[in-house]
């Protein structure tokens, strides 16, 4: 019902920046919030940030506060994750996800992910 396409990943040095994009299509009127998650090799998937689609309220995990910024462009049906001051610990596959209902932790649609690699 909602298709998500992530882009913007790549290789960057420590301290560098990347901007990830998540383009949504389909039944986007059903979107309550859009989140970014990441998963590093051998680790569990981790919540990174989320944004309430209609009102723009943002949420961040502590490890990225002050470095990452999530934003949206309603006209483009796109959510961005601006990542600054990147660290090797940020290396992971980053996924965007859509939640239809305002239930914490429940996401209904997932993208395929984009690789972010931060070198020392």
């Amino acid at each position: 019902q909602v298709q998500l396409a992530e882009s913007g990943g790549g290789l960057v040095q420590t301290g560098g920046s990347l901007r990830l994009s998540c383009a949504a299509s389909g039944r986007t009127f059903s979107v309550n919030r859009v989140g970014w998650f990441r998963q590093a090799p051998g680790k569990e998937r981790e919540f990174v940030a989320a944004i309430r689609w209609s009102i723009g309220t943002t949420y961040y995990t502590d490890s990225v506060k002050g470095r990452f910024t999530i934003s949206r462009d309603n006209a483009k049906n796109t959510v961005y994750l601006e990542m600054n001051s990147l660290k090797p610990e940020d290396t992971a596959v980053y996924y965007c996800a859509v939640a239809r209902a305002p239930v914490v932790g429940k996401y209904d649609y997932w993208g395929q992910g984009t690789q972010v690699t931060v070198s020392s």
Side-chain angles (χ1 to χ4, degrees), residues 6-44:
E6 303 100 329
S7 62
L11 175 64
V12 65
Q13 294 183 351
T14 297
S17 299
L18 285 173
R19 188 176 74 165
L20 306 183
S21 299
C22 176
S25 60
R27 299 173 64 86
T28 56
F29 58 84
S30 66
V31 174
N32 176 265
R33 65 190 187 277
V34 180
W36 284 98
F37 295 77
R38 64 188 181 187
Q39 187 168 26
K43 297 184 179 180
E44 297 292 323

Side-chain angles (χ1 to χ4, degrees), residues 57-114:
T57 305
T58 58
Y59 311 86
Y60 300 93
T61 192
D62 286 344
S63 64
V64 308
K65 287 181 179 178
R67 300 189 298 122
F68 291 10
T69 302
I70 188 170
S71 62
R72 55 162 162 73
D73 186 330
N74 296 53
K76 296 181 179 180
N77 287 325
T78 299
V79 170
Y80 303 97
L81 185 68
E82 179 77 26
M83 305 186 296
N84 300 309
S85 301
L86 283 163
K87 307 173 182 179
E89 305 92 273
D90 297 316
T91 296
V93 177
Y94 283 71
Y95 301 89
C96 62
V98 162
R100 294 178 298 171
V103 178
V104 175
K106 183 179 180 180
Y107 284 81
D108 304 293
Y109 307 101
W110 294 80
Q112 294 300 304
T114 185

